[in-house]
Amino acid sequence: MRLTIPALALLLGLAACDQQAANSTGNAQPPATASAEASAETSQAFQQLSEEMVAELWQLFPSWAIREGYYEVADQLQVPDDAYRKRVLNFARTFGRKFANLDSSQLDANASSDLALIQNFLSRIQWELTKFKSHEWNPAEYNVSHAFALILNTEYAPLDQRLRTFSKRMAQVPAYYGAAEKSLGTPASPQLVLAIQQNEGALSVFGEEVEQKLTQSGLSSDEKAQFRQRLEASREAIQDYVTFLQTRHADLEKTQEYKSFRIGEKLYEEKFQYDIQIGMSAKELYQRALEEKTRLHGKMTELADKLWPKYFPDEQPPESKLERISAVLEKLSQHHATKKTFKAEVEKQIPELAAFVTEKDLLTLDEDKPLVVRTTPPYMRGFAVASINAPGPYDKGANTYYNVMPIETFPDDRAESLLREYNSYLMQILNIHEAIPGHYTQLVYANKSPSLIKSILGNGAMIEGWAVYTERMMLEAGYGDFSPELWLMYYKWNLRTVTNTILDYELQVKGIDEERGMELMVRDAFQQKAEAQGKWRRATLSQVQLTSYFAGYADILALREEMKQKLGKDFNLKEFHEQFLSYGNSPVPVIRELMLASLQSEAS
C-alpha cells in the first residue's frame, strides 16, 4: 500500500499515543512490559527487513550504489531488458507486502518515518514500471558513463583494482545498449535529443584518460589486452546507440510522430504525490505559486521604485510596474563576469560564504569535506548551468563536485545573455543555493544522518527546498549588508523558483506552447532569453522536478515559523537548522513530525 503524508501523520500520532499510554499505566506493569517487548520485536524485524531490502537494492541498481559510495557491486552492470524489469517489479511487490505485514504502530517516530519513505519508494517503482513506463519513451535513461567516471576518478581503492572493476563492468556495455534499443518504443523528441547529446559526451569517459591510466598501471599484459578489447567494444556500443538514436530522430522528424513529452494531468498528479510528498495536490501548489508570483511582483515594484532615481536620475519611470522592474534589473545585470572568468568567480566566492555562515553562527560547517569546482563533464551537459554531485553515505569523505557549465565555449551572444542572467548579484545567490549553506552543506549533513534510509531515499522537495530557503536566510542574516540591489535580484531569483512551478504545471498539464512559456519567463519573471530557453528545454525533459524548489521552500519556511511560535524566546536559528538537517533527506512533513515529537519528548 502507498503511505500518504496524512497517513504518516496519523501513524506518528499513534506511536506517540502508545508511548504516552505506556508512561501512564502506573502499576499496570505486565501490559507495559508486553507492549515494550512487542515494540522491540517489531523494531528488530523492521531493521532486519530494511537491511535485506537495501542489500537487494544494490544488486538491482549497481550504478545507483556507486553514486552512494557503495563499491561492492561496482563491477556489475545490469542489462535493462524485460527480464531485468520483471526482477525489479517483483522486488518492489515482494518487499511491499513484507513491510505491510509489520505492525507499524509499534515503531518509534524515526522508524515510522523510514517506513513511510520505503513504502513510497516501493510503490513508486511499481507505478513507474506499470504506468509511467519511461523506459519505453525516454532514451536519455540509458547512459553508462556516470558510474564508470566515478570508478575511474574516485580513489576508493588503488588504481589497479579500480581498472579491473572498470574492465569487468565494460563487458556488459554492448548488451546494455542492445537492451536499450529493444526497450525503446516511440521516444519523445526532447528526450531523444538529450540522449544523443549526453551519450556522445559519454564517449569521453572511454577516451584518452582511461587509456593513459591503463598504460601506467600494474595490470598484466593479458589484463591490458582484455581491457583494450572491452574498451573498443564499449565505444562501438555507445556510438551504435547514438547512430540508432540519430536515425530514429531523422525518421521521426519527417513524420512528427514523436510521443508527446507532456504527460497530462492524471500522470502528473500521481508523479507529484510520489516525488514531492507535501500533503497537497499539484494543482493546489500551482494555485499557490500564482498567488506568490503576484506578491513578489509587489515586493520588486517597491525596490525598483526606490532604486530608480539612483540608476535613472534623468528619466521618468514607465507606468507599467513590470517595465520599471525590468529596466532596473537590466541595469544591474550589466555587472557580471566574463566568459573566461565565470568559473573562477564562482570559486572565489565559496570561502566568503563559509566565513559568513561561521561568523553569524548559522550552521556548523565541516571543513574536512572537500568541495571541488569543475567544468560540467560532457556526459552531464544539457540540463542545468550549475549543479552539485555529492558522495553518498558509504563514501562520505569523497569529493563533492560543483559542476559549472563551460560558458567560455558558448557563442558570444549566448554567453552574454547567460552572464547577464548570472550577474555579480545573482552569482552570489547561485553559490548560496548550490554550495554554502545550500546543497553542498545539506548533503554533508545528510551523510551524517543515522538513518541510511533517509539518506538514500532522498526527497527532492526537501533537498531543493533547503537550497532555496538558505538564499533568503542568508540575506535575512545580513549577507550583502541588506543591499536593495541584492534584495531585488534575490526576489528575481525567488520569482524563478515560483515560475518553475507555474511553467512545469502549465506545460505538462495545460499544454502551453513555447511562446507562452517564454512570455512567462522573460516578461513576467525577467529572465534573460538564454536562461529562459534553457529552462523551457529542461521543462520538456523532466516532469514535476521543477516544482520541488517552491514546494520544499514554502514548507521549510512555514516549519521555521511554527517552531518560532512554539519555542518563543528559546528558539535558536542554528539549532533549528542543525536539527532539521539531522534527519537526512526526508520530506519536510516527515521532518516536521520528527521535530514536533522531539519537542514533546523534551517537554515531558
Side-chain angles (χ1 to χ4, degrees):
M1 96 178 175
R2 180 169 167 272
L3 191 61
T4 63
I5 290 300
L8 172 61
L10 176 61
L11 179 65
L12 293 173
L14 287 172
C17 289
D18 286 344
Q19 185 60 48
Q20 290 174 5
N23 290 340
S24 62
T25 52
N27 295 325
Q29 190 64 29
T33 302
S35 176
E37 290 176 353
S39 179
E41 290 176 3
T42 303
S43 295
Q44 184 177 5
F46 173 71
Q47 183 65 29
Q48 290 176 347
L49 191 56
S50 298
E51 291 173 0
E52 289 176 20
M53 185 201 74
V54 171
E56 191 167 336
L57 183 71
W58 299 146
Q59 295 297 322
L60 286 170
F61 301 101
S63 296
W64 179 8
I66 294 168
R67 291 196 297 272
E68 298 293 344
Y70 184 79
Y71 303 110
E72 300 299 318
V73 294
D75 59 357
Q76 300 176 31
L77 176 63
Q78 296 292 355
V79 176
D81 54 17
D82 286 340
Y84 169 68
R85 285 185 285 274
K86 186 175 181 181
R87 283 175 56 206
V88 174
L89 187 59
N90 183 63
F91 159 82
R93 287 172 173 168
T94 300
F95 276 99
R97 287 192 296 268
K98 289 180 178 180
F99 280 107
N101 288 333
L102 292 175
D103 182 1
S104 56
S105 67
Q106 297 294 327
L107 297 174
D108 63 23
N110 274 295
S112 295
S113 57
D114 276 2
L115 176 61
L117 295 176
I118 290 170
Q119 293 280 30
N120 183 77
F121 168 68
L122 295 173
S123 295
R124 192 193 189 285
I125 288 178
Q126 296 173 61
W127 173 83
E128 166 72 33
L129 290 174
T130 60
K131 290 187 178 181
F132 197 59
K133 298 182 180 180
S134 58
H135 60 273
E136 295 180 354
W137 54 266
N138 183 3
E141 288 190 358
Y142 304 106
N143 189 328
V144 299
S145 55
H146 192 195
F148 275 103
L150 288 174
I151 293 169
L152 191 63
N153 298 317
T154 306
E155 296 181 358
Y156 66 88
L159 176 62
D160 286 2
Q161 180 181 332
R162 287 185 282 125
L163 287 173
R164 291 186 179 101
T165 297
F166 197 102
S167 180
K168 187 174 181 181
R169 202 168 202 269
M170 278 197 297
Q172 291 298 316
V173 170
Y176 176 96
Y177 280 108
E181 291 184 17
K182 291 178 182 177
S183 297
L184 283 171
T186 302
S189 178
Q191 285 74 12
L192 180 54
V193 173
L194 180 67
I196 293 170
Q197 176 188 351
Q198 292 193 335
N199 274 283
E200 285 177 333
L203 289 167
S204 66
V205 179
F206 301 87
E208 293 182 4
E209 181 185 359
V210 69
E211 288 195 69
Q212 291 173 358
K213 289 187 176 182
L214 178 66
T215 301
Q216 298 165 2
S217 73
L219 270 62
S220 68
S221 298
D222 288 344
E223 287 177 314
K224 288 180 179 179
Q226 184 183 60
F227 190 104
R228 291 191 176 98
Q229 183 181 23
R230 289 173 174 174
L231 185 63
E232 185 58 34
S234 295
R235 289 169 177 164
E236 290 180 5
I238 295 170
Q239 187 57 62
D240 286 348
Y241 184 60
V242 170
T243 302
F244 165 78
L245 295 178
Q246 289 171 333
T247 303
R248 292 295 305 276
H249 187 40
D251 292 341
L252 289 168
E253 276 291 288
K254 298 174 184 176
T255 63
Q256 290 297 305
E257 293 179 353
Y258 296 104
K259 177 180 173 58
S260 175
F261 59 80
R262 307 174 198 275
I263 65 175
E265 184 172 10
K266 185 176 186 297
L267 284 176
Y268 191 90
E269 285 287 359
E270 290 172 355
K271 194 172 193 295
F272 182 87
Q273 293 304 318
Y274 284 121
D275 291 359
I276 304 301
Q277 298 174 269
I278 60 168
M280 71 169 63
S281 69
K283 186 175 182 178
E284 288 170 330
L285 183 69
Y286 167 68
Q287 293 295 337
R288 188 172 178 181
L290 291 175
E291 295 170 2
E292 183 66 5
K293 175 186 167 186
T294 300
R295 189 188 75 84
L296 288 173
H297 276 169
K299 290 284 188 182
M300 295 178 78
T301 301
E302 292 175 10
L303 285 169
D305 289 346
K306 178 180 179 180
L307 290 169
W308 187 272
K310 178 178 178 180
Y311 291 96
F312 301 96
D314 301 321
E315 294 183 36
Q316 275 294 112
E319 290 187 13
S320 167
K321 66 179 182 181
L322 294 186
E323 290 181 19
R324 297 199 300 276
I325 296 168
S326 181
V328 176
L329 288 172
E330 282 294 326
K331 181 70 74 171
L332 298 178
S333 296
Q334 294 174 8
H335 300 280
H336 59 71
T338 67
K339 287 171 63 171
K340 293 183 179 179
T341 64
F342 183 77
K343 180 169 170 283
E345 289 295 324
V346 168
E347 290 180 280
K348 178 183 174 183
Q349 285 184 0
I350 305 303
E352 296 172 2
L353 294 171
F356 181 85
V357 169
T358 300
E359 176 193 348
K360 296 295 183 179
D361 204 26
L362 301 173
L363 269 171
T364 301
L365 299 178
D366 189 338
E367 298 179 359
D368 296 328
K369 303 300 181 185
L371 175 63
V372 179
V373 181
R374 68 176 180 180
T375 299
T376 306
Y379 58 86
M380 294 176 64
R381 294 176 192 171
F383 198 74
V385 170
S387 63
I388 287 284
N389 282 123
Y394 293 98
D395 190 18
K396 302 175 183 179
N399 290 342
T400 297
Y401 291 103
Y402 185 174
N403 305 307
V404 180
M405 198 67 77
I407 293 178
E408 70 274 10
T409 66
F410 294 176
D412 287 346
D413 57 342
R414 185 185 176 203
E416 177 64 19
S417 183
L418 282 170
L419 290 168
R420 281 176 171 267
E421 181 69 23
Y422 294 92
N423 55 69
S424 299
Y425 298 100
L426 274 192
M427 183 186 285
Q428 298 174 72
I429 309 298
L430 172 69
N431 287 330
I432 290 171
H433 180 103
E434 296 291 347
I436 297 173
H439 284 318
Y440 162 69
T441 303
Q442 183 266 320
L443 292 167
V444 169
Y445 270 84
N447 280 341
K448 296 178 180 179
S449 171
S451 167
L452 179 64
I453 295 298
K454 290 183 176 69
S455 291
I456 64 175
L457 302 184
N459 173 256
M462 180 271 173
I463 294 169
E464 294 297 353
W466 170 261
V468 175
Y469 163 77
T470 60
E471 302 156 13
R472 173 168 170 170
M473 181 270 290
M474 288 283 280
L475 265 66
E476 288 176 335
Y479 182 80
D481 296 324
F482 300 100
S483 157
E485 287 89 348
L486 185 57
W487 270 98
L488 179 60
M489 278 294 181
Y490 160 74
Y491 282 129
K492 173 188 169 176
W493 182 275
N494 195 235
L495 181 59
R496 180 194 296 189
T497 295
V498 173
T499 303
N500 282 348
T501 294
I502 299 170
L503 173 68
D504 199 61
Y505 189 85
E506 290 192 358
L507 186 149
Q508 295 291 338
V509 176
K510 293 180 172 290
I512 63 168
D513 59 16
E514 186 172 358
E515 182 180 357
R516 161 59 185 156
M518 293 297 288
E519 179 185 72
L520 175 65
M521 290 181 282
V522 174
R523 188 198 68 179
D524 294 357
F526 315 105
Q527 295 175 24
Q528 296 289 328
K529 185 177 179 181
E531 170 66 21
Q533 288 172 333
K535 187 59 62 68
W536 172 262
R537 185 188 187 208
R538 181 172 168 184
T540 65
L541 289 168
S542 64
Q543 317 83 26
V544 173
Q545 193 274 335
L546 282 172
T547 70
S548 62
Y549 302 86
F550 179 55
Y553 160 72
D555 263 13
I556 294 171
L557 203 58
L559 175 59
R560 186 183 74 175
E561 296 310 303
E562 181 180 6
M563 296 302 290
K564 276 185 177 180
Q565 291 182 5
K566 289 185 177 296
L567 290 169
K569 61 182 177 58
D570 293 328
F571 177 82
N572 180 280
L573 188 61
K574 180 181 182 180
E575 291 176 2
F576 169 79
H577 291 156
E578 295 188 344
Q579 184 182 8
F580 180 88
L581 294 177
S582 72
Y583 297 113
N585 302 321
S586 305
V588 181
V590 170
I591 293 176
R592 175 182 179 274
E593 295 291 346
L594 293 171
M595 291 183 77
L596 291 176
S598 175
L599 198 62
Q600 183 178 4
S601 175
E602 291 173 4
S604 60

